[in-house]
Amino acid sequence: MFTFSTSRLDLRPLALRDAPFIHQLMNEPEVIRYVGDRGLRTRTEAAAYIADHLREQGEGHGLGLCRVALRASSTPIGICGLLQRPALDAPDLGFAFRAAYEGQGYAAEASQAVLQAAQDQLGLTTVTAITNVDNPRAVRLLQRLGFTYERLAPVGAEGTLFRLYQRSLDPPGSHER
């Protein structure tokens, strides 16, 4: 899994010590609305969520979610990374940010860095992204990142329909001379 920095952000794999932040993030109204209610009512539940659901992505696929923090202050502001969902053919770009940090380009900056690492470090050539059907901010971000709408797709045990987007990445080494 990735550990890297951008001009304003530090990204590193989620760890159990991030449970207080994940508890806070996953209980924000906008995150519950657009990402879903994960039922993380305590820090203990957040730690179990990290251990059971997020780490398996990194251990099983070299993927997973990163804690995104401001470089200047180390303040955690969101999560961003790649997940392998059984219903999708390619890894899925996922992100969620605290409401106080939305609209400042952090999600785009973190997502660009993750996509670059997916190409350079994992050799991926295709990445997908899903978003709630009524999340216009995520749709605009995915379009800015070069994703193209494919179709509505059922994801998860409930079969909830999400907008499925896809982006092709350049093959590793294709941008070198």
Side-chain angles (χ1 to χ4, degrees):
M1 192 51 213
F2 319 118
T3 299
F4 48 94
S5 297
T6 68
S7 61
R8 302 183 298 164
L9 305 171
D10 286 324
L11 289 87
R12 66 155 172 78
L14 280 174
L16 290 177
R17 68 181 180 268
D18 298 317
F21 170 67
I22 292 300
H23 173 251
Q24 183 181 44
L25 175 69
M26 299 306 273
N27 283 290
E28 288 209 2
E30 292 294 304
V31 172
I32 290 172
R33 178 177 177 196
Y34 294 124
V35 176
D37 187 352
R38 301 293 190 252
L40 306 180
R41 302 298 177 247
T42 67
R43 289 180 180 183
T44 301
E45 291 170 337
Y49 179 79
I50 292 169
D52 296 341
H53 298 287
L54 302 179
R55 277 203 174 157
E56 74 183 25
Q57 291 289 321
E59 292 168 4
H61 305 284
L63 309 175
L65 291 172
C66 291
R67 171 188 170 264
V68 180
L70 297 174
R71 284 188 80 187
S73 65
S74 296
T75 302
I77 63 170
I79 54 176
C80 185
L82 296 171
L83 302 168
Q84 186 62 58
R85 298 181 192 275
L88 302 178
D89 294 332
D92 168 47
L93 175 69
F95 50 83
F97 284 79
R98 303 235 9 247
Y101 298 96
E102 289 181 359
Q104 299 175 52
Y106 295 127
E109 188 173 328
S111 295
Q112 285 283 32
V114 166
L115 291 171
Q116 191 65 54
Q119 176 183 329
D120 295 345
Q121 296 176 21
L122 296 176
L124 296 179
T125 57
T126 304
V127 176
T128 60
I130 58 170
T131 184
N132 189 298
V133 294
D134 66 344
N135 188 347
R137 291 183 78 161
V139 168
R140 285 191 301 273
L141 174 58
L142 292 174
Q143 290 170 338
R144 281 197 320 268
L145 292 169
F147 283 81
T148 303
Y149 176 76
E150 295 288 317
R151 67 184 188 285
L152 288 177
V155 177
E158 308 83 32
T160 303
L161 288 178
F162 287 88
R163 290 181 189 208
L164 174 65
Y165 291 81
Q166 186 168 312
R167 177 179 165 180
S168 294
L169 304 174
D170 293 329
S174 66
H175 57 281
E176 297 173 4
R177 293 190 168 199

